[in-house]
Amino acid sequence: MIRLRQKDIERLAIITDGSVDYLTKLVSMSLIDHSYAVDQLIKYSYKKLKSEKRYTPAQMIEALMREYGASKSKVQNAIYNKRSSEHYCSECMKKIPVSEYKRNDGLCDSCFAKHIQIDI
């Protein structure tokens, strides 16, 4: 999992017009989705870099990958809002990959296995 650093929390405070202390408390209580927060930080940083009109998109993406320790696809997804829809098991509500969702008619492998009847 991506951990938010102090400077990330400070940037989030700027983006949200919130208090650094309050955001630090929320982060320590695990009440902030770190992945979503990093997406917002990437998007914010990209807009700032783009406004300077000094860098190419490839250079900005590379810099953001290094700054946030994220993959190229994560940075691109954050910048261009490319998101695959999320799928959840209809029984236990666990987040599952689309392939598992389709293969098991909306169930995770564990819940699907509960419905298998073995006749010997």
Side-chain angles (χ1 to χ4, degrees):
M1 170 169 48
I2 298 170
R3 299 293 310 162
L4 293 176
R5 303 164 295 184
Q6 186 61 34
K7 67 180 179 179
D8 297 334
I9 294 170
E10 291 168 4
R11 287 180 187 151
L12 276 176
I14 292 168
I15 294 170
T16 62
D17 293 326
S19 153
V20 173
D21 293 335
Y22 184 68
L23 285 173
T24 302
K25 190 175 221 175
L26 290 176
V27 167
S28 69
M29 296 172 67
S30 298
L31 295 174
I32 291 182
D33 180 353
H34 292 243
S35 182
Y36 183 75
V38 170
D39 284 354
Q40 296 308 309
L41 289 167
I42 289 170
K43 195 180 297 187
Y44 174 78
S45 299
Y46 180 78
K47 286 179 183 177
K48 270 191 95 143
L49 289 171
K50 190 175 179 183
S51 71
E52 294 177 17
K53 298 181 181 179
R54 295 177 54 199
Y55 311 107
T56 67
Q59 291 170 330
M60 292 184 282
I61 288 171
E62 185 70 32
L64 292 169
M65 288 169 55
R66 273 185 276 118
E67 175 64 22
Y68 295 105
S71 67
K72 185 175 183 177
S73 63
K74 175 152 180 70
V75 171
Q76 289 174 327
N77 286 341
I79 294 169
Y80 303 118
N81 290 322
K82 292 182 181 176
R83 289 277 171 251
S84 59
S85 59
E86 298 178 344
H87 297 306
Y88 296 90
C89 174
S90 56
E91 276 191 24
C92 69
M93 298 308 293
K94 179 176 111 180
K95 187 175 175 181
I96 56 176
V98 65
S99 58
E100 189 174 344
Y101 183 84
K102 288 180 180 179
R103 178 179 63 237
N104 299 332
D105 294 323
L107 297 174
C108 68
D109 286 338
S110 179
C111 290
F112 187 79
K114 292 175 187 174
H115 297 282
I116 296 174
Q117 302 219 355
I118 302 174
D119 294 349
I120 298 178

